[in-house]
C-alpha cells in the first residue's frame, strides 16, 4: 500500500519561490517513477515534472522547465519540486503521483491523459497573488 502526502503549498507573491514536498509511505521512493501534476480552476490536470526511480531520466513540460526543478531524497523517501518566478497562472492544486518503476517512465507518467493505476496524494494548494 502506497501513501503519498504533499506539503509546502501556500500563499506567494508574483515572482516568488516555493518548494513543495511529497512524502512516500509504504513503498520506497527508489522503487517508484514519480512526478508532479497541477490543476488550475477550470482546467485539466497536467503533468509538469516527472522523475525516474534512479534519477537518471527527468521530464519537464517545456512551458515551465526554466522555472521548476524536481529532485528526490530516496534515503528519506521525499520528493521535491522547487519553483521560482511564480506567476498568477501557476496557481492551483499541486499533486504528486507515482507508479512502480517497472510499469512506467518519466515521460509516459507525465504525458498520459488516461492515468489508470496511478497512486495520488491529496494535493497542496498554491496561491499566487499580490
Amino acid at each position: 500500500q502506497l501513501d503519498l502526502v504533499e506539503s509546502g503549498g501556500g500563499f506567494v507573491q508574483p515572482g516568488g519561490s516555493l518548494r513543495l514536498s511529497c512524502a512516500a509511505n509504504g513503498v520506497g521512493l527508489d522503487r517508484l517513477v514519480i512526478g508532479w501534476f497541477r490543476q488550475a480552476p477550470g482546467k485539466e490536470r497536467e503533468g509538469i515534472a516527472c522523475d525516474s526511480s534512479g534519477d537518471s531520466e527527468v521530464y519537464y513540460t517545456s512551458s515551465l522547465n526554466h522555472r521548476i526543478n524536481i529532485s528526490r531524497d530516496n534515503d528519506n523517501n521525499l520528493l521535491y519540486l522547487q519553483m521560482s518566478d511564480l506567476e498568477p497562472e501557476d496557481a492551483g492544486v499541486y499533486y504528486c503521483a507515482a507508479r512502480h518503476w517497472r510499469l512506467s517512465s518519466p515521460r509516459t507518467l507525465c504525458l498520459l491523459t488516461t492515468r489508470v493505476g496511478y497512486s495520488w496524494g491529496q494535493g497542496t494548494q498554491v496561491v499566487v497573488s499580490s
Side-chain angles (χ1 to χ4, degrees), residues 1 11 25 29 39-40 51 53 76 78 80 82 86 97 100 103 105 111 122-123:
Q1 185 179 19
F11 178 88
N25 301 287
L29 193 60
Q39 188 164 22
D51 189 27
S53 61
N76 293 295
L78 291 170
Y80 301 104
Q82 180 69 47
L86 287 165
H100 191 280
L103 301 179
S105 65
L111 292 180
Q122 293 299 307

Side-chain angles (χ1 to χ4, degrees), residues 44-124:
E44 296 183 357
R45 192 173 300 183
E46 62 173 337
I48 58 173
C50 293
D51 189 27
S52 66
S53 61
D55 202 29
S56 61
E57 182 182 353
V58 180
Y59 170 84
Y60 293 103
T61 185
S62 60
S63 65
L64 289 167
N65 63 4
H66 65 294
R67 299 193 288 119
I68 60 173
N69 179 256
I70 187 171
S71 62
R72 60 165 70 204
D73 179 355
N74 282 343
D75 289 340
N76 293 295
N77 295 315
L78 291 170
L79 179 77
Y80 301 104
L81 183 70
Q82 180 69 47
M83 301 187 290
S84 62
D85 197 24
L86 287 165
E87 303 170 359
E89 58 263 36
D90 295 320
V93 180
Y94 285 70
Y95 303 86
C96 59
R99 299 202 73 189
H100 191 280
W101 71 273
R102 293 179 177 177
L103 301 179
S104 194
S105 65
R107 186 175 185 273
T108 298
L109 189 78
C110 266
L111 292 180
L112 284 179
T113 56
T114 301
R115 299 175 177 133
V116 176
Y118 286 41
S119 296
W120 295 93
Q122 293 299 307
T124 185

